[in-house]
Amino acid sequence: MPGHCVGPRKARYEKGETHSTLGRYTPQVSRFPINEEGQLKLKSKGVRLGVALVALVAIAVTAAVTASAHTGKAQAKYVIGVSNTLVGNGWREEMICAVKAQALASGKVSKVIVADRNGGPAEQAADLRNLISAGVNAIVVNPSSPTALNPVIAQARARGIKVVAVDSTVTAPGATNVTNDQEAYGYLGAVWLFKKLHGKGNVVEMRGIAGVPADTDRHHGFTRALKRYPGIKVVKQTFTGWSFAPGGKQMLDILNSGVQVDGVWTSGIDYTVVNAFKTAGKPYVPVVGADNNQFLKQMLALYPKFEGAAVTNPATIGGVGAAVAIQQLSGGTTPHKIVLTPAVWDVASTKATIKANYSPKRAPTYSARLQVKPWTTYTAAQLTSCKGP
Protein backbone atom coordinates (compact mmCIF):
# COMPACT_ATOMS: atom_id res chain seq x y z
CA MET A 1 0.00 0.00 0.00
CA PRO A 2 1.43 3.40 -0.79
CA GLY A 3 2.32 5.72 2.04
CA HIS A 4 4.14 5.62 5.35
CA CYS A 5 3.19 5.45 8.98
CA VAL A 6 3.79 8.39 11.30
CA GLY A 7 6.40 8.04 14.04
CA PRO A 8 10.07 7.46 13.29
CA ARG A 9 11.63 4.19 14.27
CA LYS A 10 15.23 3.09 14.12
CA ALA A 11 16.00 1.74 10.69
CA ARG A 12 16.32 -2.00 10.25
CA TYR A 13 18.87 -3.11 7.69
CA GLU A 14 18.62 -6.57 6.22
CA LYS A 15 21.45 -8.10 4.25
CA GLY A 16 21.31 -11.09 1.97
CA GLU A 17 24.65 -12.49 0.85
CA THR A 18 25.74 -15.31 -1.38
CA HIS A 19 28.93 -17.28 -0.98
CA SER A 20 30.48 -19.56 -3.56
CA THR A 21 33.23 -22.11 -3.09
CA LEU A 22 35.38 -23.40 -5.94
CA GLY A 23 36.95 -26.82 -5.54
CA ARG A 24 40.67 -27.02 -6.10
CA TYR A 25 41.94 -29.11 -8.98
CA THR A 26 45.14 -31.10 -8.28
CA PRO A 27 46.45 -32.83 -11.40
CA GLN A 28 47.84 -36.30 -10.83
CA VAL A 29 51.40 -36.30 -12.22
CA SER A 30 53.51 -39.44 -12.49
CA ARG A 31 56.76 -39.37 -10.51
CA PHE A 32 60.01 -39.22 -12.51
CA PRO A 33 63.59 -39.49 -11.22
CA ILE A 34 65.13 -36.27 -9.88
CA ASN A 35 68.87 -35.44 -10.16
CA GLU A 36 71.05 -33.93 -7.45
CA GLU A 37 70.12 -30.37 -8.45
CA GLY A 38 66.43 -31.21 -8.05
CA GLN A 39 65.86 -31.24 -11.82
CA LEU A 40 63.66 -33.76 -13.58
CA LYS A 41 65.66 -36.38 -15.47
CA LEU A 42 63.96 -37.05 -18.76
CA LYS A 43 65.31 -40.20 -20.38
CA SER A 44 63.34 -40.13 -23.60
CA LYS A 45 61.48 -37.92 -26.03
CA GLY A 46 58.25 -39.75 -25.22
CA VAL A 47 58.59 -39.00 -21.56
CA ARG A 48 59.31 -35.35 -22.24
CA LEU A 49 56.18 -35.17 -24.43
CA GLY A 50 54.09 -36.81 -21.71
CA VAL A 51 55.21 -34.33 -19.09
CA ALA A 52 54.48 -31.45 -21.43
CA LEU A 53 50.95 -32.71 -22.00
CA VAL A 54 50.31 -33.04 -18.26
CA ALA A 55 51.51 -29.49 -17.74
CA LEU A 56 49.23 -28.22 -20.46
CA VAL A 57 46.25 -30.03 -18.90
CA ALA A 58 47.01 -28.46 -15.52
CA ILE A 59 47.23 -25.01 -17.08
CA ALA A 60 43.98 -25.51 -19.00
CA VAL A 61 42.06 -26.68 -15.92
CA THR A 62 43.39 -23.80 -13.82
CA ALA A 63 42.35 -21.34 -16.52
CA ALA A 64 38.88 -22.89 -16.73
CA VAL A 65 38.35 -22.71 -12.96
CA THR A 66 39.56 -19.09 -12.90
CA ALA A 67 37.30 -18.15 -15.82
CA SER A 68 34.35 -19.80 -14.09
CA ALA A 69 35.01 -17.82 -10.94
CA HIS A 70 35.21 -14.56 -12.89
CA THR A 71 32.00 -15.38 -14.79
CA GLY A 72 30.13 -16.04 -11.53
CA LYS A 73 31.28 -12.73 -10.15
CA ALA A 74 30.25 -10.94 -13.33
CA GLN A 75 26.79 -12.47 -13.14
CA ALA A 76 26.24 -11.53 -9.48
CA LYS A 77 28.13 -8.33 -8.88
CA TYR A 78 25.51 -5.67 -8.13
CA VAL A 79 24.26 -4.55 -4.74
CA ILE A 80 20.74 -3.11 -4.59
CA GLY A 81 19.40 -0.96 -1.77
CA VAL A 82 15.70 -0.65 -0.89
CA SER A 83 14.15 2.23 1.06
CA ASN A 84 10.72 1.76 2.65
CA THR A 85 8.99 3.94 5.24
CA LEU A 86 6.00 1.78 6.21
CA VAL A 87 6.69 -1.21 8.44
CA GLY A 88 4.08 -3.90 9.11
CA ASN A 89 2.02 -3.17 6.00
CA GLY A 90 1.42 -6.30 3.90
CA TRP A 91 1.49 -4.41 0.60
CA ARG A 92 4.89 -2.87 1.36
CA GLU A 93 6.27 -6.19 2.59
CA GLU A 94 5.28 -7.82 -0.69
CA MET A 95 6.87 -4.93 -2.57
CA ILE A 96 10.19 -5.62 -0.81
CA CYS A 97 9.85 -9.35 -1.43
CA ALA A 98 9.37 -8.63 -5.14
CA VAL A 99 12.62 -6.66 -5.21
CA LYS A 100 14.45 -9.57 -3.58
CA ALA A 101 12.82 -12.13 -5.88
CA GLN A 102 13.73 -10.23 -9.05
CA ALA A 103 17.27 -9.68 -7.79
CA LEU A 104 17.60 -13.43 -7.21
CA ALA A 105 16.04 -14.37 -10.54
CA SER A 106 18.36 -12.06 -12.47
CA GLY A 107 21.51 -13.83 -11.33
CA LYS A 108 23.27 -10.45 -11.43
CA VAL A 109 22.78 -9.26 -7.85
CA SER A 110 24.97 -10.40 -4.97
CA LYS A 111 23.15 -8.60 -2.17
CA VAL A 112 19.97 -6.68 -1.33
CA ILE A 113 20.14 -4.21 1.57
CA VAL A 114 16.78 -3.07 2.98
CA ALA A 115 16.37 0.16 4.98
CA ASP A 116 12.96 -0.37 6.55
CA ARG A 117 11.32 1.86 9.16
CA ASN A 118 8.32 4.05 9.86
CA GLY A 119 9.06 7.66 9.09
CA GLY A 120 8.81 10.61 6.74
CA PRO A 121 11.13 12.44 4.34
CA ALA A 122 13.77 13.27 6.98
CA GLU A 123 14.13 9.65 8.10
CA GLN A 124 14.07 8.39 4.54
CA ALA A 125 16.77 10.84 3.44
CA ALA A 126 18.97 9.53 6.27
CA ASP A 127 18.33 5.95 5.14
CA LEU A 128 19.25 6.84 1.56
CA ARG A 129 22.52 8.37 2.72
CA ASN A 130 23.27 5.18 4.66
CA LEU A 131 22.61 3.08 1.55
CA ILE A 132 24.97 5.30 -0.44
CA SER A 133 27.65 4.81 2.22
CA ALA A 134 27.05 1.05 2.12
CA GLY A 135 28.23 1.04 -1.49
CA VAL A 136 25.04 0.07 -3.30
CA ASN A 137 24.94 0.22 -7.09
CA ALA A 138 21.22 1.02 -7.30
CA ILE A 139 18.41 2.09 -4.98
CA VAL A 140 14.74 1.16 -5.28
CA VAL A 141 12.79 3.68 -3.20
CA ASN A 142 9.11 4.11 -2.38
CA PRO A 143 9.29 7.87 -1.83
CA SER A 144 7.57 9.66 1.03
CA SER A 145 7.71 12.96 -0.89
CA PRO A 146 7.99 13.92 -4.57
CA THR A 147 10.55 16.66 -3.88
CA ALA A 148 12.06 16.40 -0.37
CA LEU A 149 14.37 13.53 -1.35
CA ASN A 150 15.81 15.30 -4.40
CA PRO A 151 19.06 16.48 -2.72
CA VAL A 152 20.03 13.01 -1.49
CA ILE A 153 18.99 11.46 -4.81
CA ALA A 154 21.33 13.93 -6.49
CA GLN A 155 24.12 12.72 -4.18
CA ALA A 156 23.44 9.14 -5.24
CA ARG A 157 23.39 10.02 -8.92
CA ALA A 158 26.70 11.92 -8.56
CA ARG A 159 28.25 8.63 -7.43
CA GLY A 160 26.83 6.75 -10.39
CA ILE A 161 24.09 5.03 -8.39
CA LYS A 162 20.91 4.24 -10.29
CA VAL A 163 17.76 5.45 -8.50
CA VAL A 164 14.33 4.01 -9.28
CA ALA A 165 11.24 5.37 -7.50
CA VAL A 166 8.36 2.90 -7.32
CA ASP A 167 4.65 3.36 -6.53
CA SER A 168 5.01 7.15 -6.24
CA THR A 169 7.09 9.57 -8.27
CA VAL A 170 10.01 11.87 -7.54
CA THR A 171 11.00 14.94 -9.51
CA ALA A 172 14.76 14.47 -9.10
CA PRO A 173 16.69 14.67 -12.39
CA GLY A 174 18.17 11.35 -13.43
CA ALA A 175 15.80 9.21 -11.38
CA THR A 176 13.50 6.70 -13.06
CA ASN A 177 9.84 6.57 -11.99
CA VAL A 178 7.96 3.27 -12.03
CA THR A 179 4.45 3.82 -10.78
CA ASN A 180 0.92 2.58 -10.67
CA ASP A 181 -1.26 5.32 -12.17
CA GLN A 182 -2.57 6.58 -8.86
CA GLU A 183 -4.87 9.25 -10.26
CA ALA A 184 -6.48 6.62 -12.49
CA TYR A 185 -6.84 4.41 -9.40
CA GLY A 186 -8.91 7.10 -7.70
CA TYR A 187 -10.89 8.02 -10.80
CA LEU A 188 -11.79 4.53 -12.06
CA GLY A 189 -12.89 3.27 -8.67
CA ALA A 190 -14.99 6.36 -8.02
CA VAL A 191 -16.69 6.14 -11.41
CA TRP A 192 -17.60 2.49 -10.73
CA LEU A 193 -19.07 3.46 -7.34
CA PHE A 194 -21.02 6.47 -8.58
CA LYS A 195 -22.49 4.46 -11.46
CA LYS A 196 -23.47 1.67 -9.05
CA LEU A 197 -25.37 4.31 -7.03
CA HIS A 198 -27.01 5.62 -10.22
CA GLY A 199 -25.40 9.01 -9.69
CA LYS A 200 -27.10 9.78 -6.39
CA GLY A 201 -26.28 9.11 -2.73
CA ASN A 202 -24.01 9.66 0.28
CA VAL A 203 -20.47 8.30 0.10
CA VAL A 204 -17.48 8.09 2.42
CA GLU A 205 -13.98 8.81 1.06
CA MET A 206 -11.35 6.88 3.02
CA ARG A 207 -7.93 8.19 2.05
CA GLY A 208 -4.37 7.11 2.93
CA ILE A 209 -1.93 9.60 4.47
CA ALA A 210 -2.12 13.34 3.86
CA GLY A 211 0.78 14.71 1.87
CA VAL A 212 1.98 11.39 0.44
CA PRO A 213 2.11 11.58 -3.39
CA ALA A 214 -0.05 8.51 -3.99
CA ASP A 215 -2.78 9.81 -1.65
CA THR A 216 -2.77 13.22 -3.33
CA ASP A 217 -3.00 11.69 -6.81
CA ARG A 218 -5.81 9.33 -5.83
CA HIS A 219 -7.78 12.17 -4.26
CA HIS A 220 -7.40 14.17 -7.49
CA GLY A 221 -8.82 11.24 -9.42
CA PHE A 222 -11.69 10.87 -6.96
CA THR A 223 -12.64 14.56 -7.14
CA ARG A 224 -12.39 14.52 -10.94
CA ALA A 225 -14.99 11.74 -11.02
CA LEU A 226 -17.08 13.57 -8.44
CA LYS A 227 -17.48 16.52 -10.81
CA ARG A 228 -19.23 14.24 -13.27
CA TYR A 229 -21.84 13.20 -10.71
CA PRO A 230 -23.35 16.23 -8.93
CA GLY A 231 -25.87 13.99 -7.16
CA ILE A 232 -23.12 12.32 -5.11
CA LYS A 233 -22.40 13.83 -1.70
CA VAL A 234 -19.26 13.09 0.35
CA VAL A 235 -20.60 12.92 3.92
CA LYS A 236 -17.32 11.86 5.57
CA GLN A 237 -13.64 11.91 4.68
CA THR A 238 -11.04 10.03 6.75
CA PHE A 239 -7.32 9.28 6.63
CA THR A 240 -6.68 5.63 7.42
CA GLY A 241 -2.88 5.74 7.44
CA TRP A 242 -3.21 2.78 5.07
CA SER A 243 -3.71 0.62 8.15
CA PHE A 244 -6.50 -1.94 8.12
CA ALA A 245 -7.53 -2.00 11.79
CA PRO A 246 -7.85 1.80 12.15
CA GLY A 247 -9.71 1.98 8.84
CA GLY A 248 -12.24 -0.59 10.03
CA LYS A 249 -12.67 1.27 13.32
CA GLN A 250 -13.28 4.56 11.46
CA MET A 251 -15.99 2.93 9.35
CA LEU A 252 -17.65 1.38 12.40
CA ASP A 253 -17.71 4.75 14.18
CA ILE A 254 -19.30 6.40 11.14
CA LEU A 255 -22.00 3.72 10.92
CA ASN A 256 -22.73 3.95 14.66
CA SER A 257 -23.03 7.75 14.40
CA GLY A 258 -26.24 7.39 12.41
CA VAL A 259 -24.89 9.01 9.20
CA GLN A 260 -26.56 7.61 6.11
CA VAL A 261 -23.92 5.81 4.02
CA ASP A 262 -24.79 4.55 0.54
CA GLY A 263 -21.29 3.71 -0.70
CA VAL A 264 -17.63 3.73 0.33
CA TRP A 265 -14.51 4.54 -1.68
CA THR A 266 -11.30 3.38 -0.01
CA SER A 267 -7.66 3.91 -0.88
CA GLY A 268 -7.12 0.18 -0.47
CA ILE A 269 -8.14 -0.35 3.17
CA ASP A 270 -11.10 -2.48 2.20
CA TYR A 271 -11.90 -5.80 3.87
CA THR A 272 -12.02 -4.34 7.40
CA VAL A 273 -14.47 -1.73 6.10
CA VAL A 274 -16.72 -4.53 4.82
CA ASN A 275 -16.41 -6.26 8.19
CA ALA A 276 -17.56 -3.06 9.92
CA PHE A 277 -20.97 -3.27 8.23
CA LYS A 278 -21.45 -6.79 9.57
CA THR A 279 -20.32 -5.75 13.07
CA ALA A 280 -22.69 -2.76 13.05
CA GLY A 281 -25.56 -4.91 11.81
CA LYS A 282 -26.02 -2.68 8.76
CA PRO A 283 -26.83 -3.78 5.22
CA TYR A 284 -23.83 -3.94 2.91
CA VAL A 285 -23.28 -1.07 0.49
CA PRO A 286 -20.97 -0.95 -2.56
CA VAL A 287 -17.31 -0.63 -1.53
CA VAL A 288 -14.29 0.18 -3.68
CA GLY A 289 -11.00 -1.38 -2.58
CA ALA A 290 -7.80 -2.80 -4.01
CA ASP A 291 -6.80 -6.27 -5.17
CA ASN A 292 -6.12 -7.44 -1.62
CA ASN A 293 -6.57 -11.16 -1.09
CA GLN A 294 -9.23 -10.98 1.65
CA PHE A 295 -11.25 -8.37 -0.23
CA LEU A 296 -11.31 -10.63 -3.29
CA LYS A 297 -12.60 -13.43 -1.06
CA GLN A 298 -15.38 -11.18 0.25
CA MET A 299 -16.35 -10.14 -3.26
CA LEU A 300 -16.73 -13.78 -4.29
CA ALA A 301 -18.31 -15.16 -1.12
CA LEU A 302 -20.80 -12.38 -0.34
CA TYR A 303 -22.04 -11.64 -3.86
CA PRO A 304 -24.76 -10.56 -4.67
CA LYS A 305 -25.59 -9.40 -1.11
CA PHE A 306 -22.36 -7.41 -1.22
CA GLU A 307 -20.92 -5.80 -4.35
CA GLY A 308 -17.38 -4.51 -4.44
CA ALA A 309 -14.83 -3.36 -6.97
CA ALA A 310 -11.11 -4.09 -6.69
CA VAL A 311 -8.86 -1.58 -8.42
CA THR A 312 -5.55 -3.26 -9.20
CA ASN A 313 -2.48 -1.83 -7.53
CA PRO A 314 0.21 -4.54 -7.66
CA ALA A 315 2.75 -4.55 -4.86
CA THR A 316 5.01 -6.46 -7.22
CA ILE A 317 5.85 -3.12 -8.80
CA GLY A 318 8.85 -3.48 -6.50
CA GLY A 319 10.03 -6.27 -8.80
CA VAL A 320 9.59 -3.97 -11.80
CA GLY A 321 11.77 -1.38 -10.08
CA ALA A 322 14.48 -3.98 -9.46
CA ALA A 323 14.31 -5.19 -13.08
CA VAL A 324 14.67 -1.63 -14.35
CA ALA A 325 17.66 -0.97 -12.07
CA ILE A 326 19.39 -4.20 -13.10
CA GLN A 327 18.82 -3.49 -16.79
CA GLN A 328 20.33 -0.02 -16.40
CA LEU A 329 23.32 -1.38 -14.46
CA SER A 330 23.88 -3.95 -17.21
CA GLY A 331 24.19 -1.20 -19.81
CA GLY A 332 20.63 -1.39 -21.13
CA THR A 333 18.22 1.48 -21.57
CA THR A 334 14.77 1.85 -20.06
CA PRO A 335 12.04 4.49 -20.31
CA HIS A 336 12.45 7.41 -17.92
CA LYS A 337 8.89 6.81 -16.71
CA ILE A 338 6.93 3.55 -16.60
CA VAL A 339 3.25 3.72 -15.66
CA LEU A 340 1.01 0.73 -14.93
CA THR A 341 -2.65 1.35 -15.74
CA PRO A 342 -5.03 -0.14 -13.14
CA ALA A 343 -7.94 -2.38 -13.99
CA VAL A 344 -11.28 -2.60 -12.17
CA TRP A 345 -12.47 -6.06 -11.15
CA ASP A 346 -16.02 -6.87 -10.05
CA VAL A 347 -17.90 -10.15 -9.89
CA ALA A 348 -20.48 -9.09 -12.49
CA SER A 349 -17.90 -8.64 -15.25
CA THR A 350 -14.58 -10.26 -14.20
CA LYS A 351 -15.45 -13.12 -11.85
CA ALA A 352 -13.03 -15.51 -13.55
CA THR A 353 -10.17 -13.04 -13.12
CA ILE A 354 -10.95 -12.58 -9.43
CA LYS A 355 -11.09 -16.34 -8.86
CA ALA A 356 -7.80 -16.80 -10.70
CA ASN A 357 -6.05 -14.21 -8.53
CA TYR A 358 -7.49 -15.13 -5.13
CA SER A 359 -5.66 -17.75 -3.04
CA PRO A 360 -6.74 -19.14 0.34
CA LYS A 361 -3.06 -19.76 1.08
CA ARG A 362 -2.08 -16.07 1.02
CA ALA A 363 -2.39 -13.50 3.79
CA PRO A 364 -5.45 -11.20 3.84
CA THR A 365 -3.47 -8.12 2.80
CA TYR A 366 -1.48 -9.86 0.05
CA SER A 367 -1.68 -8.05 -3.28
CA ALA A 368 -3.10 -10.52 -5.78
CA ARG A 369 -1.11 -9.76 -8.93
CA LEU A 370 2.10 -11.76 -8.59
CA GLN A 371 3.74 -10.81 -11.88
CA VAL A 372 4.07 -7.66 -13.98
CA LYS A 373 5.10 -8.77 -17.43
CA PRO A 374 7.39 -8.32 -19.25
CA TRP A 375 9.46 -6.95 -16.39
CA THR A 376 9.32 -9.55 -13.63
CA THR A 377 10.85 -12.99 -14.24
CA TYR A 378 10.89 -14.61 -10.79
CA THR A 379 8.86 -17.66 -9.82
CA ALA A 380 5.97 -17.61 -7.36
CA ALA A 381 8.14 -19.58 -4.93
CA GLN A 382 10.92 -16.97 -5.15
CA LEU A 383 8.40 -14.22 -4.40
CA THR A 384 6.71 -15.88 -1.45
CA SER A 385 9.98 -17.08 0.11
CA CYS A 386 11.17 -13.45 0.24
CA LYS A 387 14.81 -14.50 0.64
CA GLY A 388 16.61 -12.79 -2.21
CA PRO A 389 20.23 -13.44 -3.19
Side-chain angles (χ1 to χ4, degrees):
M1 200 72 47
H4 62 280
C5 286
V6 177
R9 186 172 72 103
K10 186 177 180 181
R12 181 176 79 246
Y13 294 93
E14 302 172 355
K15 296 184 179 181
E17 300 183 8
T18 58
H19 302 272
S20 61
T21 303
L22 291 173
R24 298 186 177 212
Y25 176 83
T26 305
Q28 302 299 312
V29 181
S30 301
R31 296 184 180 275
F32 292 92
I34 305 295
N35 64 15
E36 292 180 356
E37 288 76 33
Q39 295 175 338
L40 193 61
K41 295 168 63 178
L42 303 179
K43 296 184 178 181
S44 69
K45 184 183 293 184
V47 172
R48 290 195 298 271
L49 179 59
V51 172
L53 287 173
V54 170
L56 286 173
V57 169
I59 292 170
V61 171
T62 301
V65 172
T66 303
S68 175
H70 287 178
T71 300
K73 290 178 181 178
Q75 290 178 342
K77 63 183 180 182
Y78 303 127
V79 177
I80 292 182
V82 183
S83 175
N84 173 53
T85 54
L86 179 53
V87 176
N89 178 278
W91 193 97
R92 288 293 187 91
E93 290 172 357
E94 187 180 348
M95 177 196 77
I96 295 171
C97 290
V99 174
K100 293 180 177 180
Q102 188 58 38
L104 179 62
S106 74
K108 297 182 178 182
V109 178
S110 62
K111 185 188 301 183
V112 175
I113 304 175
V114 180
D116 192 24
R117 65 162 152 182
N118 293 328
E123 291 78 21
Q124 189 163 39
D127 288 348
L128 293 176
R129 283 191 289 269
N130 287 336
L131 290 173
I132 293 170
S133 298
V136 300
N137 303 109
I139 297 174
V140 177
V141 54
N142 193 321
S144 53
S145 167
T147 57
L149 303 176
N150 287 3
V152 69
I153 291 175
Q155 294 172 19
R157 295 293 299 128
R159 296 195 182 192
I161 299 171
K162 308 296 183 184
V163 178
V164 182
V166 297
D167 191 38
S168 296
T169 61
V170 294
T171 58
T176 302
N177 288 299
V178 179
T179 67
N180 298 302
D181 190 333
Q182 303 296 358
E183 184 166 339
Y185 177 101
Y187 178 80
L188 294 173
V191 167
W192 179 91
L193 178 63
F194 301 160
K195 285 183 176 179
K196 186 63 61 176
L197 297 178
H198 305 289
K200 193 181 290 188
N202 294 346
V203 302
V204 176
E205 181 190 12
M206 305 189 76
R207 299 176 60 175
I209 298 175
V212 173
D215 177 77
T216 301
D217 291 345
R218 290 180 179 188
H219 178 65
H220 287 163
F222 178 88
T223 54
R224 183 159 60 92
L226 196 61
K227 292 177 182 178
R228 291 181 50 190
Y229 296 89
I232 298 293
K233 181 181 180 182
V234 178
V235 291
K236 288 286 183 180
Q237 182 190 85
T238 71
F239 287 92
T240 65
W242 279 305
S243 296
F244 284 89
K249 178 64 164 55
Q250 289 173 1
M251 191 70 249
L252 186 60
D253 289 344
I254 292 170
L255 293 174
N256 288 336
S257 72
V259 173
Q260 174 65 35
V261 176
D262 301 309
V264 183
W265 178 94
T266 79
S267 191
I269 300 303
D270 40 38
Y271 75 90
T272 53
V273 169
V274 178
N275 290 343
F277 280 85
K278 182 178 180 180
T279 301
K282 303 286 187 181
Y284 292 117
V285 301
V287 175
V288 175
D291 52 341
N292 298 310
N293 198 50
Q294 185 68 13
F295 188 56
L296 298 186
K297 178 182 179 180
Q298 290 173 328
M299 290 169 62
L300 292 168
L302 299 177
Y303 184 83
K305 184 184 297 185
F306 164 69
E307 291 188 80
V311 185
T312 59
N313 183 54
T316 48
I317 197 167
V320 180
V324 167
I326 294 165
Q327 187 167 321
Q328 292 177 356
L329 289 170
S330 302
T333 59
T334 64
H336 176 68
K337 185 175 184 180
I338 298 169
V339 180
L340 307 183
T341 302
V344 179
W345 298 345
D346 65 8
V347 173
S349 58
T350 56
K351 183 177 181 179
T353 300
I354 297 170
K355 291 181 70 174
N357 282 275
Y358 166 70
S359 172
K361 297 180 180 180
R362 299 188 198 122
T365 61
Y366 212 83
S367 177
R369 190 175 171 189
L370 303 187
Q371 296 278 0
V372 181
K373 296 300 183 182
W375 294 101
T376 58
T377 58
Y378 48 74
T379 64
Q382 287 172 329
L383 175 65
T384 56
S385 70
C386 199
K387 291 182 178 179

